[in-house]
Amino acid sequence: MTYFEKLLLHYLWDGELELKITGFDMDGFQQAVRQRSKCRLRMIEDIVFTDDDIASDAEKVESIKLLFQREFFDED
C-alpha cells in the first residue's frame, strides 16, 4: 500500500471524506467480506488447535501475527 493509499484510508476511516461509488454492489461486497472473514477465522482456528507437540503457544501467536502482517502491511 502506498503512502497515498494509507492517507486516503485514514481520511475515509475517520469520516473526514465521503465516498460515493456509482454501480457499487453492496451485497456482493458484504458477501466477499464475510467469505474473507470466514477464511481468516478458519486459518486462525487451524493454528490455535494445532497439537501442542507441534507448535508452542508462542509459535501459534507468532503465526497468527504473521497472518495479519501479511494482509495489512505487505506492499503489493
Side-chain angles (χ1 to χ4, degrees):
M1 186 180 289
T2 66
Y3 175 75
F4 176 74
E5 291 169 330
K6 289 178 186 177
L7 188 62
L8 179 60
L9 180 61
H10 172 75
Y11 281 113
L12 287 171
W13 189 265
D14 288 343
E16 295 177 38
L17 291 177
E18 183 178 320
L19 180 66
K20 293 183 182 181
I21 303 173
T22 41
F24 181 71
D25 179 12
M26 182 58 112
D27 292 333
F29 176 72
Q30 287 176 337
Q31 183 179 7
V33 168
R34 276 191 218 106
Q35 196 65 21
R36 181 80 175 181
S37 298
K38 285 179 186 179
C39 178
R40 175 61 58 91
L41 286 173
R42 275 189 228 112
M43 291 169 36
I44 292 171
E45 180 183 32
D46 289 343
I47 292 169
V48 169
F49 290 110
T50 299
D51 191 358
D52 290 338
D53 295 338
I54 296 172
S56 68
D57 288 344
E59 291 170 323
K60 292 176 185 181
V61 169
E62 188 62 28
S63 295
I64 293 170
K65 182 178 167 184
L66 287 172
L67 283 175
F68 286 93
Q69 285 178 336
R70 275 187 243 129
E71 180 70 23
F72 298 111
F73 299 114
D74 280 354
E75 301 255 340
D76 291 333

